[in-house]
Amino acid sequence: MDQSESSQNRTVEPVIYKVQVTTGQGLLTGTFDLISIVLVGTNGESPKQYLNQFGMTCCQGSMAEVELACDCDLGPILLIRLQKEPYSWFPQSSWYCNTVQVTSPQGEAFRFPCYKWIEGYCIVSFREGTAHTPSDDTHCLQRRHRQEELQLRHRKYGWKEYLPKVPWCADIDTTATIEYNIKYSFPKSTAFFGRGSTALFEAKLKGFLYKPYSWEKLEDIRKIFWFYHTPVSEFVFQHWKDDAFFGYQFLNGINPIKIQKCTSIPTNFPVTPEMVAATLGRSTTLQEELKKGTIYLVDYKILENIPTVLLNSRPQYIAAPLCLLHQKPSGEVLPLAIQLSQQPGPQSPIFLPTDEEWLWTLAKTWVRNSEFHTHEVIAHLLRGHLMSETFSVATLRTLSMCHPLYKLLIPHLRYSIHINVLARTFLISQGGTFDKAIATGRRGLAVLLQRATDDLTYTQLCLPDDIEARGVGGLLHYYYRDDGLKIWEAIESFVSDIVGLYYKSDEAIQGDVELQAWVAEIFAMGFLSKETSGVPSAIASVQELIKYLTMVIFTCSAYHAAVNGGQFEMGAFMPNLPSSMRKPPPHVKAPRSLQDFLDTIPEMNVTSQVLSVLWVLRNESFDMKPLGYYDEEHFVEEAPKQVIGRFQEHLKRITSAIDSRNQTLTLPYTYLYPPNIENSTTI
């Protein structure tokens, strides 16, 4: 036998790759469908290989292992293709693939973070998990996959205008059409709707939902959700009339972003030194306190002439107050004067703490009603939810899964689109909660949203800049500011370290086409291309990118927690946060009675509707992902994992400091307590 015959008869040894495919741990994540895999390397691709145990391989929380034989070495593995096919008579079922790991014959591991629902019978492909900016892709397969992925995302995730002159939203009409990968998990959805049904059932059972009447006495309001009282809601009930608690809420309540330093009394708010002398005391004057920087103002001009709806067939009213506050050396913030309109004059008196008890209480309650409207529509809906949705849709459309910024941001965008679709379906839709129980109704909400969008600035969204712009750096006991700045710093440090791993120069930032497309889309769709907002339409430097990313993550996590976490606690005793007022603001300083007060605040059925919603929107533990903790490992390299570990340690130090501080407080501030902050806007 000659040499050529020997070479032809020699058996070629196959090259063996070991593959591990992991299914998600969550409920209903497994599938009975057939799953196969193809490996794609720089030198070619493998044959199609089915995973073992047909119909049972990818069950909940499982890891399927298979050996895949190839005729030759495939080189570095760039892509995998997963195919989902019918199995026997079983119906099609969705499958949540966590990760795939491929080990080469040489022992080199290639990791593929998937973290996706795969629906229907289809073929899907995933990139190897090392983070790559567009300029990092050197192989034609990588570049082509990236292009095809973004083209698919553009088709899948679109924009639409929900209301004129407000941020655009995801092009999704109903919860039934939400794509699985942005949808609530089964436990999350069950908890959300179960809590809502329970709250409404209890209110119906007690009969409050069917009573369009004034409350007979204030104490009866607590009976709506008798078993859901917390230490904070009890504190609110006991202290809602106290001037000190009224002032405290501007600092550490659910709308801590409106208070600003007052260096001179506004011309349309003619408060005189004599008016406030009794409240300030003999040792000082209004002018002296203005010079000291201890006088603060809350201005609700944005509510002027907002249209209202009929509730229980009766007209509702909205005021546009001005409220002057003073911080005492002890740290207490006390109201000095309240004017319930923007136009001074005989029909717009200035109310003072020295006025008759129920008249002064009514004036403060009008301010709390203004707090309700500006909180729910501006602080919460616009700056929390609509901004999070803008960031989410832009990220899904413009950043490929292998982009380092996608890997950084995607945990902070979880469920943000779904919760907003729910809001558009049940809360701010035609005939929704706003039309049934809130003075603005949907029409007034639209006007207020338009005004707030026009006023929204980059400075407001960046906490350190906002604190400086409002002049509130010297406020004592301003725990929102103190805790918020610490968390901002922790996020900024985390972001800085991640950015430093993947961008070595300003030129790298400027040349990243996906990054620039992301920023441009947020500017266009979220801020309507308004240059006056100060929001960048492009990013030119590493430092600009760090600030921008910090703003995005802070908004989606800590900021939303601050304005969402206490809604039920602060509003459960409705006079502290009324959604409507049934009588116009008082035009004369005549004494008022408790009955006058009860006939002005919302009726039983309106109160029950609003509190049922606030109960649903409170923070929950079901499927909650705390800030900085990522159970999905989108980053596969060691360096970013170490950065995440440092971020978590930073947050632990903040947690410890807040624990120590809160032990000294009668009313602990917990809305920016890191374990209570969710990574994303989910509720």
Side-chain angles (χ1 to χ4, degrees), residues 8-19:
Q8 291 172 4
N9 292 334
R10 187 182 303 130
T11 302
V12 178
E13 290 292 329
V15 178
I16 305 298
Y17 289 84
K18 295 181 180 179
V19 178

Side-chain angles (χ1 to χ4, degrees), residues 259-262 293 296 465-475:
I259 188 169
Q260 57 183 314
K261 181 180 283 189
C262 179
Y296 295 87
D465 298 345
D466 179 52
I467 296 299
E468 182 179 354
R470 290 190 287 120
V472 289
L475 263 172

Side-chain angles (χ1 to χ4, degrees), residues 358-427:
W358 283 107
L359 180 63
W360 176 236
T361 300
L362 185 60
K364 289 189 295 181
T365 303
W366 271 104
V367 174
R368 295 300 304 160
N369 171 250
S370 299
E371 277 285 279
F372 180 94
H373 295 307
T374 55
H375 166 264
E376 292 299 348
V377 177
I378 303 173
H380 190 200
L381 177 59
L382 174 62
R383 287 183 52 176
H385 284 265
L386 299 191
M387 287 297 98
S388 295
E389 183 172 10
T390 296
F391 304 146
S392 297
V393 178
T395 300
L396 292 171
R397 285 170 52 84
T398 61
L399 298 178
S400 61
M401 285 180 62
C402 67
H403 198 290
L405 299 191
Y406 177 93
K407 294 173 179 287
L408 171 68
L409 292 170
I410 199 64
H412 300 286
L413 307 174
R414 179 175 179 258
Y415 299 156
S416 295
I417 296 175
H418 192 166
I419 185 59
N420 285 9
V421 174
L422 288 170
R424 287 190 286 274
T425 302
F426 298 108
L427 297 185

Side-chain angles (χ1 to χ4, degrees), residues 81-107:
R81 288 199 290 266
L82 296 172
Q83 184 168 2
K84 189 161 161 286
E85 304 173 70
Y87 173 65
S88 185
W89 47 265
F90 287 100
Q92 190 277 141
S93 56
S94 298
W95 173 48
Y96 189 84
C97 179
N98 260 10
T99 61
V100 175
Q101 179 164 307
V102 177
T103 305
S104 71
Q106 297 79 25

Side-chain angles (χ1 to χ4, degrees), residues 382-569:
L382 174 62
R383 287 183 52 176
H385 284 265
L386 299 191
M387 287 297 98
S388 295
E389 183 172 10
T390 296
F391 304 146
S392 297
V393 178
T395 300
L396 292 171
R397 285 170 52 84
T398 61
L399 298 178
S400 61
M401 285 180 62
C402 67
H403 198 290
L405 299 191
Y406 177 93
K407 294 173 179 287
L408 171 68
L409 292 170
I410 199 64
H412 300 286
L413 307 174
R414 179 175 179 258
Y415 299 156
S416 295
I417 296 175
H418 192 166
I419 185 59
N420 285 9
V421 174
L422 288 170
R424 287 190 286 274
T425 302
F426 298 108
L427 297 185
I428 60 177
S429 58
Q430 195 89 27
T433 300
F434 264 76
D435 277 343
K436 292 177 180 177
I438 295 170
T440 62
R442 186 174 183 270
R443 178 166 163 256
L445 171 139
V447 175
L448 185 52
L449 259 183
Q450 289 164 358
R451 292 182 186 177
T453 300
D454 195 50
D455 287 347
L456 188 60
T457 66
Y458 193 42
T459 293
Q460 292 169 350
L461 297 175
C462 297
L463 182 63
D465 298 345
D466 179 52
I467 296 299
E468 182 179 354
R470 290 190 287 120
V472 289
L475 263 172
L476 304 175
H477 308 324
Y478 193 8
Y479 307 126
Y480 164 76
R481 175 202 60 208
D482 298 341
D483 297 351
L485 287 175
K486 290 176 183 176
I487 292 167
W488 177 280
E489 180 189 3
I491 295 172
E492 185 177 50
S493 177
F494 167 54
V495 166
S496 178
D497 288 348
I498 291 290
V499 168
L501 293 175
Y502 300 102
Y503 295 98
K504 304 304 181 183
S505 68
D506 293 345
E507 289 73 24
I509 300 284
Q510 297 162 16
D512 188 331
V513 293
E514 289 183 17
L515 161 61
Q516 299 299 340
W518 176 67
V519 174
E521 197 153 294
I522 291 172
F523 179 68
M525 311 311 290
F527 298 91
L528 311 182
S529 299
K530 287 195 317 182
E531 293 184 4
T532 54
S533 68
V535 175
S537 58
I539 299 292
S541 70
V542 170
Q543 285 307 310
E544 285 180 34
L545 178 61
I546 291 168
K547 180 177 182 178
Y548 193 88
L549 292 169
T550 302
M551 178 275 293
V552 170
I553 294 174
F554 183 86
T555 298
C556 296
S557 56
Y559 173 80
H560 178 259
V563 300
N564 180 76
Q567 286 185 100
F568 181 76
E569 293 180 325

